[in-house]
Amino acid sequence: MMHKTELTVGQNVTGQALTVPVYQFTGNQPDAPTLYIQSSVHGAEVQGNLVCHYLLMAFQKLADEGALLGNITIVPYANPIGMNAKSVDYTSGRFDPVTGTNWNRQYHDFNGDYATLATAYKALSPEAIKASFCETLRTSLAEKIARPEGLTTGQGMVMRLQQMAIEADLVLDLHTGPRSARHLYAAAYAEDSARALHIDDIIIMPNGFDGALDEACFVPWWSLSLALADEGITFDHGIEAFTVELGSQEQIDSDDAAEHCEGILNWLMLKGVVAADCQNPTDRAPNNGPKYGVPLEDYITLYAPVGGLAEYLVAPGQTFQKGDCLARILKAENIGTDQAFHAVIAPADGRLILHFDSASLYQGAELCKFTKIA
Amino acid sequence: MMHKTELTVGQNVTGQALTVPVYQFTGNQPDAPTLYIQSSVHGAEVQGNLVCHYLLMAFQKLADEGALLGNITIVPYANPIGMNAKSVDYTSGRFDPVTGTNWNRQYHDFNGDYATLATAYKALSPEAIKASFCETLRTSLAEKIARPEGLTTGQGMVMRLQQMAIEADLVLDLHTGPRSARHLYAAAYAEDSARALHIDDIIIMPNGFDGALDEACFVPWWSLSLALADEGITFDHGIEAFTVELGSQEQIDSDDAAEHCEGILNWLMLKGVVAADCQNPTDRAPNNGPKYGVPLEDYITLYAPVGGLAEYLVAPGQTFQKGDCLARILKAENIGTDQAFHAVIAPADGRLILHFDSASLYQGAELCKFTKIA
Amino acid sequence: MMHKTELTVGQNVTGQALTVPVYQFTGNQPDAPTLYIQSSVHGAEVQGNLVCHYLLMAFQKLADEGALLGNITIVPYANPIGMNAKSVDYTSGRFDPVTGTNWNRQYHDFNGDYATLATAYKALSPEAIKASFCETLRTSLAEKIARPEGLTTGQGMVMRLQQMAIEADLVLDLHTGPRSARHLYAAAYAEDSARALHIDDIIIMPNGFDGALDEACFVPWWSLSLALADEGITFDHGIEAFTVELGSQEQIDSDDAAEHCEGILNWLMLKGVVAADCQNPTDRAPNNGPKYGVPLEDYITLYAPVGGLAEYLVAPGQTFQKGDCLARILKAENIGTDQAFHAVIAPADGRLILHFDSASLYQGAELCKFTKIA
Amino acid sequence: MMHKTELTVGQNVTGQALTVPVYQFTGNQPDAPTLYIQSSVHGAEVQGNLVCHYLLMAFQKLADEGALLGNITIVPYANPIGMNAKSVDYTSGRFDPVTGTNWNRQYHDFNGDYATLATAYKALSPEAIKASFCETLRTSLAEKIARPEGLTTGQGMVMRLQQMAIEADLVLDLHTGPRSARHLYAAAYAEDSARALHIDDIIIMPNGFDGALDEACFVPWWSLSLALADEGITFDHGIEAFTVELGSQEQIDSDDAAEHCEGILNWLMLKGVVAADCQNPTDRAPNNGPKYGVPLEDYITLYAPVGGLAEYLVAPGQTFQKGDCLARILKAENIGTDQAFHAVIAPADGRLILHFDSASLYQGAELCKFTKIA
């Protein structure tokens, strides 16, 4: 059965509690992996809420059928400040309007002494290691939240989300790009598993913390497993955490959401969170097309070389060749002449993942991002 | 020959002059009608600048061929504050960020005593009336600009544009909607002429001033002609001023700009600003499709009945029937249930002209606008 | 006894009801005038909320003492969107961030046919006129709120406040200026009564509607009384509605709030809302200083003649003479020279009421406002 | 003689170059230390521009008198985007409105291999080390600026400022706090020298890079000198770089600027940039009061424990004791009761350096910052 509660993550000027809805399901197999999904930590990236709606519908059906194995927590609408921050038509919910801090760079960094921990854990069973380290993470986070000087607005919000996320084996943080193809970020060790989500483009991340939820979830476990490997112990923690970029911001689309749900359920079947035969295979998109996975260092940003108005010539999801014109920028100072456009040329073969969500660019705006392909 | 100057329309905090580029052409027939075009008084509505680029290219070619008859003034990039006002990816350039005032509601209102003027003009020739009234408008505007207490930032900008516009017979103010089909606003007396612009949807405006440039240009002349009609005199002033909504904001598109240029040149041929045979007719889109013209009172706005995330189901430019679902709004409080969507039903047969440029809506956001059709 | 409820005035993107707190007291004399006070319709103007806090404390004490005669409704925190709209440190809550519309220009305009009403009311008693006209206003407003196409976000909010305000005889809308002296706006007929509020500077308003709450409350009654006067009938409606500017925005101050409470209670004693002897006279500030009242046309705005950084030389509340330097603007283009400052000279004798709340000015920013004094 | 040029640091949407003014003086002693000062990298922090104006006046006089020894570069109005970013009355110029990145956290990090450099420099003279390392920094920065994918808008701006700053021995980056007392940040090794600036409160910084200009200037030299010390070599680089917080944002004040100029000239006399006797000592404020210097770890931020409206009870610059009430926050949910205020109690003896520049607080807003005193 679906259980809904409201979690308070802050308080506004007029005294209202800032709350996020928390939907929980109890699986029927206590040992099955557990799942945490959240959406819209960036306020303009709303498609994930629609995906959550369809997932909630699906999980209720699965629960009715006895096919829900692991415990599940879903937190859509995870950023009540960001989602309500309108600026003219748009939603300026990418960063705290007071501090400028990206909402998705404020998670607690458990920056532990992994070597010492590995030594201490050496003699323990994998289950005991997992339980002990999870308690260590939990305590570290709780202490940060309770520190006497208080937390920033953003920390107060996202660290309470993090408290739920660190309890799960599997974590999805649903985002979107600006004008964007579907893609996701996965830790190098989890790339193969991420393929089950049926998203063509994968950015493969090294071990390191830059403040985002996926990193906050997988970096401690990966780091611990590396330290244990130095002690000669193979530790399979089973933790996977992906930032999934569902497409473009500022829009919702039910057909697109249905495809994302299908991919997520496929992954959950493989991981044993839902029963493996719970979906009619004929309903599933085959996703047999080409797969693209590139290391983070081959995920390249091009910054606007001049100020002006961009006409984007390659769409997100398209493959291009070195020398192709990705966009041309109309230069105000040259209009009415044949020097009006500045061409932005692809410096390598690649796939366009996303571009800026407006024609209007200052010099240095993040024009587009692409993955280099061999 | 194209002549370019920079007109100062304000000054910013750091002392830079705020300037707009002014492109001018002298026609080869002194009596031909004159033209004024501007674009981007709303900063996010940038397609007009690309249209201006292609028009400048076309006018230079026409001038070379001796086919440019009337004087022409083109002012792209007309709002240097609004166009540079970025907010996250977007451009928050619809209103002055200090005062909230819509940039396109700040033109000077010549609110003259038309009855007295008509009496005074009774005995004059049409040419003399035109010259005298134009001087009256010019003086009224100059006095407003020079008033001792100063002007607001927005007035200081747009009234200097207005000084150029009131000198022309034909005026186009190039805008766009948010997510929008092409449409234009025309004074009732000029609807037939506006058809030459090859835009299907026309909103027909009554005589009255609400602060926009088209009104600032046509209302005084229309009012004067009505007052002269009361005196039994038919006065054909020849003034036409249209606000043209080229499509959607935050984007530029060359194919689309080419079609708009074709329409504008077609209108200019009919009005005698450029030679009637200057375009190869086979290049022209026929535009023989249905035409829609509705009075302003049948141009209806629907406001979001609830807060939430809208999935727009009817695209701008589409015709629908009473009872169709125009959009459905995902209600956060109901997700995971079959009550998750609030359907917005068409209250009449119509054509969808535009919708909000984001899924994210407070209750009362301008969800969409449509024209009622009989 | 104080009775608190929450009134829903909108809904945000994440489905939360936007609510305002409503505090009500029932007086012990049914015929006593009734009072409505609200604060912070402009989100940065927060001092009124503190004044409301102290008023609520005072009214509870008066109620306990049997000194509360009329019914009272207090709505602090009246704009939940505007008060929570932070931008860096500040509060950008002066206008709807989506539309730019000033929150305090969206009240319903009852634009009735007063001559016809006066004819219809001719034979009625003052009480009957009052009851009938109040019902007419109530119906007009309710119909506007229920119109099929919906209301804008701002209308949806302020018209629900207006529904409470039009039920009261006495209305205070608590605002502040930017960097400002205390002042208030009063209809010409109510200037003497307004003096009881112990605020030195009064702007005297003509009859006319520009969208604000005070006008929405007094214009219909004033207009009706003028129409009745044309019929030879003197109609004393007893309605007073003032916009009170408590001082500067973005700050609260308890000492200052105590003085404002004292003035408000003094006015309420004179009007018979609270018992005339309910305050210890020795507690009261005498307010025997000079009083300034000027017609709206003598309340002058000076716009920044150049862009730059203003050093304000005359403080709000100070009297100055023609020729005094009110401010000097540091011009970036001239620094390091003795032409660095542009002096802004007083064009007349006056009192400085307020100035812009930042040194940084575009040309045309509202530099300061002053009242001309004879 | 003062030499003024304009440096281009970017380009906006409408094609205008974003420029900053650069004022330069050539001293009459080639070996004298050189000075670089900039102001307003944060757009709302404008007082430094007025200080620059008075410094420019002073330096011209000193140059005329032959008292200007070292070369000087002054860059006021250093952020043309941030200074022009108005939001209602205020200036939202603390971070890039597109990315949210703090303008003062984008300088290039020369993150060199100091141990290897120290080995290579071992045999060189101090002058040769300085010249070589300066060239190394210069090259590293130039390469970053020229990288093929381009720079962000903020990097493009501040790294061009950094190119001037790294050429100077002495660097001042003029900022202000929100509502703030004067204070400055100094590297631990330069605390004594910083005292000459006549600012009571000094925050003493450890060696490390967090993106600000002062760090970008002193960290490489400090790091190199530490590495050379490991080699047994004492290297006195003579580099000093301070972030000076002149007081509060959004305002300029000539009296205050005069005091800051006096302090800056005092420091420059001690460092030999201007002649030691160039000022009449009797003109100088003695600044014999108490001095406060605390390590960065004792500079404490308190975050708003609840949302609400703050009444600040201790002013910037005031000393307080543990247990004092620094501010009280009016809680909307409790007004009209004696639980209306939440008291914020000082957790230690200290000096209040700054507080938030608005009463209106979300939970987690940076309420105030103080230094702990023993």
Side-chain angles (χ1 to χ4, degrees), chain B residues 199-270:
Chain B
I199 290 176
D200 292 347
D201 289 281
I202 297 188
I203 317 297
I204 304 161
M205 298 176 71
N207 197 22
F209 184 74
D210 191 36
L213 180 69
D214 54 353
E215 298 162 322
C217 290
F218 74 67
V219 165
W221 294 98
W222 194 1
S223 300
L224 180 65
S225 69
L226 293 173
L228 284 164
D230 288 344
E231 298 284 340
I233 296 167
T234 302
F235 173 57
D236 179 13
H237 50 73
I239 303 293
E240 293 184 5
F242 306 128
T243 295
V244 180
E245 309 280 344
L246 300 167
S248 298
Q249 66 189 8
E250 297 282 10
Q251 60 190 43
I252 61 172
D253 181 278
S254 286
D255 292 339
D256 195 66
E259 292 183 25
H260 282 297
C261 282
E262 187 278 333
I264 291 169
L265 289 171
N266 188 54
W267 174 60
L268 296 179
M269 283 189 282
L270 289 171

Side-chain angles (χ1 to χ4, degrees), chain D residues 261-275:
Chain D
C261 283
E262 187 279 331
I264 291 170
L265 289 171
N266 188 54
W267 174 60
L268 295 180
M269 284 189 283
L270 289 170
K271 305 306 290 188
V273 178
V274 300

Side-chain angles (χ1 to χ4, degrees), chain C residues 217-259:
Chain C
C217 290
F218 74 66
V219 165
W221 294 97
W222 194 359
S223 299
L224 179 66
S225 70
L226 293 173
L228 285 163
D230 288 344
E231 299 282 340
I233 296 167
T234 300
F235 173 58
D236 180 13
H237 50 73
I239 304 293
E240 293 184 6
F242 305 129
T243 295
V244 180
E245 308 279 345
L246 299 166
S248 299
Q249 65 190 7
E250 298 282 9
Q251 61 189 43
I252 61 171
D253 182 278
S254 285
D255 292 341
D256 196 66
E259 292 182 26

Side-chain angles (χ1 to χ4, degrees), chain A residues 19 39 74 78 88 105 109 130 152 154 219 222 227-228 276 330 354:
Chain A
T19 62
S39 64
I74 309 280
V88 198
R105 294 293 178 280
D109 182 12
K130 194 155 179 184
T152 69
V219 166
W222 195 359
L228 284 164
L330 185 70
L354 58 85

Side-chain angles (χ1 to χ4, degrees), chain B residues 299-342:
Chain B
Y299 186 37
I300 308 296
T301 303
L302 295 182
Y303 299 94
V306 297
L309 300 173
E311 187 169 15
Y312 300 99
L313 301 175
V314 172
Q318 277 191 312
T319 300
F320 57 80
Q321 293 188 299
K322 181 173 175 171
D324 286 354
C325 184
L326 300 176
R328 52 186 189 173
I329 301 177
L330 185 70
K331 296 165 70 178
E333 62 274 33
N334 289 0
I335 69 161
T337 77
D338 51 16
Q339 306 296 313
F341 289 104
H342 180 107

Side-chain angles (χ1 to χ4, degrees), chain A residues 117-374:
Chain A
L117 282 168
T119 308
Y121 288 165
K122 229 168 146 174
L124 300 189
S125 71
E127 293 73 25
I129 294 175
K130 194 155 179 184
S132 171
F133 188 57
C134 195
E135 182 60 25
T136 300
L137 295 178
R138 200 180 283 132
T139 303
S140 170
L141 181 53
E143 285 173 358
K144 179 68 168 283
I145 289 173
R147 68 176 187 180
E149 67 267 36
L151 297 174
T152 69
T153 304
Q155 290 169 337
M157 179 183 299
V158 303
M159 289 182 189
R160 283 178 179 87
L161 302 174
Q162 189 176 0
Q163 286 188 303
M164 294 183 284
I166 62 169
E167 300 295 333
D169 298 292
L170 306 173
V171 172
L172 295 184
D173 192 13
L174 303 183
H175 284 250
T176 77
R179 198 64 25 185
S180 178
R182 298 173 187 176
H183 58 289
L184 66 79
Y185 293 87
Y189 70 80
E191 181 189 354
D192 285 346
S193 178
R195 288 284 165 213
L197 286 159
H198 291 178
I199 290 177
D200 293 347
D201 289 280
I202 296 189
I203 318 296
I204 304 161
M205 298 176 71
N207 196 23
F209 184 73
D210 192 36
L213 180 69
D214 54 354
E215 297 162 322
C217 290
F218 74 67
V219 166
W221 293 98
W222 195 359
S223 300
L224 180 65
S225 69
L226 293 174
L228 284 164
D230 288 344
E231 299 283 340
I233 296 168
T234 301
F235 173 58
D236 179 13
H237 50 72
I239 303 293
E240 294 184 6
F242 306 129
T243 296
V244 180
E245 308 280 344
L246 300 168
S248 299
Q249 65 190 8
E250 298 283 10
Q251 61 190 42
I252 61 172
D253 181 278
S254 286
D255 292 340
D256 196 65
E259 292 183 24
H260 282 296
C261 283
E262 187 279 331
I264 292 169
L265 288 172
N266 188 54
W267 175 60
L268 295 179
M269 283 188 284
L270 288 171
K271 305 306 290 188
V273 179
V274 300
D277 56 352
C278 72
Q279 288 242 314
N280 183 344
T282 61
D283 289 352
R284 260 179 264 165
N287 197 256
N288 291 323
K291 307 285 183 299
Y292 303 91
V294 302
L296 186 59
E297 72 213 50
D298 286 342
Y299 186 36
I300 309 296
T301 302
L302 295 182
Y303 299 94
V306 296
L309 299 174
E311 188 169 14
Y312 300 99
L313 302 176
V314 172
Q318 278 191 312
T319 299
F320 56 81
Q321 292 189 300
K322 181 173 175 173
D324 286 355
C325 185
L326 299 176
R328 51 187 189 172
I329 301 177
L330 185 70
K331 296 165 69 179
E333 62 274 33
N334 288 2
I335 69 162
T337 78
D338 50 17
Q339 306 296 315
F341 289 103
H342 180 106
V344 178
I345 301 300
D349 292 358
R351 281 173 57 75
L352 196 90
I353 301 301
L354 58 85
H355 65 67
F356 200 63
D357 201 5
S358 164
S360 301
L361 306 165
Y362 275 68
Q363 187 183 43
E366 196 176 289
L367 184 74
C368 62
K369 299 182 84 164
F370 68 90
T371 51
K372 278 199 222 172
I373 52 180

